[in-house]
Amino acid sequence: MGTTSVQGALSGRPDWPGWPPEAARHYRQAGYWRDEVFGDLPARQASARPTATALVDGDRRWTYAALEAEVEGLYRSLHRLGLRRGDRVIVQLPNRAEFVLLWFALQRLGAVPVHALPGHRRHEIAHLARITEAVAYVIPDRHARFDYRALAADLGAEHASLRHTIVVGDTGDHTGFVPFETLLDPRAPAVASPGPAVDAGDLALLLLSGGTTGTPKLIPRTHQDYAYNARAAAEVCRLDEDSVYLAVLPIAFNFTMSCPGVLGTLHAGGTVVLSPSPSPGTALELIERERVTITAVNPPLVPYWLREFEERRPDISSLAVLQVGAARLADDLARRIEPTLGARLQQVFGMAEGLLNLTALDDPSAIICSTQGRPVSPADEVLVVDGDGAPVPDGQVGELLTRGPYTLRGYYRSPELARTHFTEDGFYRTGDLVRRLPTGHLSVVGRVKEQINRGGEKIDATEVEEHLLAHPGIDSVAVVAAADPELGERSVAFVVCTGPVPKTRELASFLRERGLAAYKAPDRVKVIERMPLTPVGKTDKNALRETARLEDGQAR
Ligand code: OOB
């Protein structure tokens, strides 16, 4: 149990490496892993607290009893549609109640949601469809001025495995698409032969990594490890049935989903409120209206929230905790949060791959404002190592390596990444440079991986470079991070051109036409005569970062 996925076991091909048996035994014996599956959560809570509010989306509200009834109806309809245990389903929905209903219905089936983000486009979704051989794709009709139906029609034609497109909203003139609404059928007949029970060691979902190798990698998470992730985080945040969590960042994001997020809150019997947008006006209004007690944002949102609060002074006295994570929060910005909002700041340093660090609510302010927290599990193993892999003393900077009860041992269907991303002992190489304090708190100081962290949105430099190279006017290209006062980092593309120099806007539309998510387009394009090279002939990205830095200095 817990070492192979369903489809791996069925096909005789392991799709992802599980934990070694001794580690798995330890995690179970110590109680980190329990014999629980996500599909049972709504029913369990419906009997414990049927009339308590589970979910709020605008004017729509679900008690736990109503959530359970809706999930069961949806589960039955999806089964009738032909979805089965182990099937992968690409879910690309914004912060709408349908995400939550669908997610639990898929869990009840033993089907595996693939967590796409609303910003992903043809290139990213096609990659997910190819790797996962998903049988269904679930979309909104339109969201943020983008029509997902045309995209789904194209993908359906290109990927034989994709049998169903399910649309939340209007299916338009796509006759083969299934309206989500029709699946919410309280009279759907019970499933006659549900098949083998879902196991706590089964694959429960696939998360996307920020990526460092050209295309997003898929992270296998099991019921037992992901439930532990949510439980452990909920405990540090002291969630209980009075907790009201506001989902501001995309719900499919691991931070929003289970750190402690939606799953941690529902596990504790609290209420999840969905914010249709991260804009401070909308979010602060919801905090006031729903008496929200905890929410989570990324660093670039913080100044906007502070400004909006100071201007409008809404009553947000219910808000006990503001979680901030996904990118480095500047210490001086961190120090402004509590005095302004009256809520406790909690820093969150996590990754889709697993390891989650939180500051404790009762940590001293100096720690809360200058570190990114401590691992949430006593079983999290953390090493900080130098370039040769040797541990460095506390206080010194090194790369963070980790393994533990909710950190992956390998990517989904990507055995070739084992050697580069994991040590022989099964530690995941995070690519993050950190400093550890004697208290165990980690401070993130940089990274060794080829990633740009644009205020929490992760951009894989290699992926963008590959696409830019396809532009006829570009001879060679290197994408690096430059400091940005609002986003923390932004992307700069250094290009060597033969002919006329393409403009930043032109390259953005070139990338959009290639199906790339918009946030990956370089913020700035800088033409150079030739690429600086290291003594061994590699692109000298340090020199380019320095050029970007100096030019910024001159611009100010
Ligand atoms: C979260 O997850 P991902 O998978 O999008 O990105 C992980 C990477 C980390 O390896 C690190 O480079 C960066 O994002 N990061 C931070 C950070 N939190 C994440 N860097 C500095 N300070 C922080 N507080 O971003 C994520 C997942 C779960 C919870 C929170 C964030």
Side-chain angles (χ1 to χ4, degrees):
M1 193 173 101
T3 50
T4 51
S5 64
V6 173
Q7 60 275 24
L10 290 179
S11 63
R13 165 175 59 124
D15 287 326
W16 48 280
W19 288 261
E22 329 76 83
R25 207 172 314 117
H26 169 60
Y27 296 152
R28 263 194 297 275
Q29 272 167 5
Y32 305 127
W33 289 358
R34 296 184 186 164
D35 210 6
E36 273 169 24
V37 293
F38 286 115
D40 292 345
L41 188 150
R44 198 166 58 242
Q45 294 293 35
S47 48
R49 44 179 66 81
T51 57
T53 305
L55 183 62
V56 179
D57 174 2
D59 297 332
R60 304 186 295 165
R61 312 176 84 84
W62 285 261
T63 61
Y64 276 99
L67 176 70
E68 165 55 20
E70 206 100 279
V71 166
E72 178 63 20
L74 192 50
Y75 153 72
R76 293 176 183 187
S77 302
L78 291 172
H79 190 274
R80 195 165 47 188
L81 200 62
L83 295 197
R84 292 294 179 272
R85 183 180 178 203
D87 283 346
R88 277 80 58 207
V89 175
I90 300 174
V91 180
Q92 190 180 24
L93 292 176
N95 294 11
R96 298 273 307 270
E98 284 79 0
F99 182 102
V100 180
L101 306 178
L102 173 74
W103 199 86
F104 282 105
L106 291 173
Q107 296 302 337
R108 197 161 286 186
L109 273 167
V112 179
V114 183
H115 283 217
L117 292 172
H120 287 142
R121 294 295 177 257
R122 184 168 41 77
H123 173 73
E124 289 90 7
I125 306 293
H127 172 74
L128 298 180
R130 211 162 33 238
I131 295 204
T132 65
E133 299 170 281
V135 300
Y137 178 29
V138 188
I139 53 165
D141 46 11
R142 299 178 60 84
H143 173 69
R145 287 186 295 164
F146 182 74
D147 192 328
Y148 289 80
R149 293 165 296 192
L151 169 62
D154 286 353
L155 289 169
E158 288 159 20
H159 297 269
S161 69
L162 275 181
R163 294 198 301 268
H164 310 286
T165 299
I166 300 172
V167 186
V168 174
D170 181 4
T171 53
D173 49 12
H174 300 273
T175 46
F177 289 3
V178 181
F180 183 87
E181 238 180 11
T182 60
L183 301 171
L184 285 175
D185 182 0
R187 290 179 315 269
V191 173
S193 47
V198 180
D199 188 281
D202 284 353
L203 187 62
L205 66 152
L206 287 163
L207 291 172
L208 269 66
S209 83
T212 52
T213 52
T215 30
K217 301 185 290 294
L218 284 158
I219 293 145
R221 305 291 304 248
T222 61
H223 293 262
Q224 59 204 8
D225 91 77
Y226 208 53
Y228 176 50
N229 187 129
R231 255 192 351 260
E235 201 173 304
V236 179
C237 295
R238 300 188 195 149
L239 296 193
D240 59 23
E241 65 272 16
D242 296 326
S243 299
V244 182
Y245 176 85
L246 180 69
V248 165
L249 298 173
I251 189 168
F253 183 26
N254 180 38
F255 188 7
T256 325
M257 194 64 193
S258 87
C259 302
V262 174
L263 295 178
T265 305
L266 296 177
H267 166 79
T271 303
V272 171
V273 179
L274 302 175
S275 181
S277 110
S279 92
T282 311
L284 290 173
E285 217 176 284
L286 279 171
I287 294 174
E288 183 168 17
R289 187 185 94 187
E290 300 293 338
R291 306 300 293 158
V292 168
T293 61
I294 174 169
T295 187
V297 297
N298 55 30
L301 284 172
V302 172
Y304 293 99
W305 280 47
L306 296 181
R307 199 174 317 144
E308 175 83 9
F309 178 80
E310 281 172 333
E311 277 168 15
R312 285 201 20 248
R313 300 260 152 211
D315 174 7
I316 59 163
S317 52
S318 59
L319 190 69
V321 180
L322 179 69
Q323 294 187 299
V324 183
R328 183 64 154 93
L329 176 66
D331 295 6
D332 45 353
L333 184 55
R335 282 190 284 270
R336 287 175 49 206
I337 292 175
E338 291 197 18
T340 311
L341 299 180
R344 194 102 257 241
L345 164 66
Q346 179 178 57
Q347 295 217 38
V348 185
F349 164 38
M351 51 204 75
E353 281 82 356
L355 181 71
L356 175 64
N357 304 276
L358 301 172
T359 53
L361 302 183
D362 56 4
D363 271 340
S365 279
I367 289 278
I368 292 181
C369 294
S370 67
T371 80
Q372 282 62 56
R374 262 191 296 209
V376 294
S377 173
D380 281 321
E381 298 172 73
V382 159
L383 292 174
V384 183
V385 301
D386 64 18
D388 299 325
V392 300
D394 281 350
Q396 275 186 30
V397 173
E399 186 188 358
L400 173 66
L401 311 184
T402 185
R403 63 181 185 190
Y406 59 96
T407 296
L408 85 175
R409 293 297 184 119
Y411 289 99
Y412 181 77
R413 294 188 172 175
S414 306
E416 73 285 359
L417 299 175
R419 275 196 339 165
T420 43
H421 290 69
F422 298 85
T423 68
E424 281 182 2
D425 303 331
F427 280 85
Y428 166 59
R429 300 181 204 268
T430 66
D432 290 318
L433 291 173
V434 303
R435 186 182 284 134
R436 183 170 48 188
L437 307 186
T439 55
H441 290 82
L442 301 173
S443 176
V444 182
V445 301
R447 82 181 77 80
V448 287
K449 56 192 173 192
E450 288 257 327
Q451 193 177 72
I452 296 152
N453 191 335
R454 199 172 178 278
E457 284 185 315
K458 314 302 182 317
I459 300 167
D460 177 1
T462 324
E463 179 185 32
V464 180
E465 287 163 3
E466 278 169 17
H467 282 273
L468 287 175
L469 268 183
H471 189 283
I474 293 179
D475 245 20
S476 65
V477 57
V479 176
V480 299
D484 183 274
E486 275 164 27
L487 297 167
E489 287 182 359
R490 62 185 151 78
S491 60
V492 181
F494 284 90
V495 295
V496 178
C497 297
T498 27
V501 177
K503 296 233 165 39
T504 306
R505 260 217 258 123
E506 183 195 332
L507 287 183
S509 57
F510 175 75
L511 293 176
R512 192 170 55 239
E513 275 157 30
R514 291 178 63 82
L516 218 62
Y519 66 86
K520 295 180 182 174
D523 293 299
R524 214 159 56 113
V525 177
K526 181 94 196 72
V527 179
I528 47 177
E529 250 173 49
R530 74 179 72 82
M531 274 297 156
L533 298 178
T534 64
V536 292
K538 288 195 200 169
T539 301
D540 188 349
K541 286 208 167 175
N542 284 334
L544 292 174
R545 280 183 209 110
E546 184 59 15
T547 309
R549 197 179 66 80
L550 289 175
E551 292 203 340
D552 271 358
Q554 278 165 11
R556 271 193 208 114

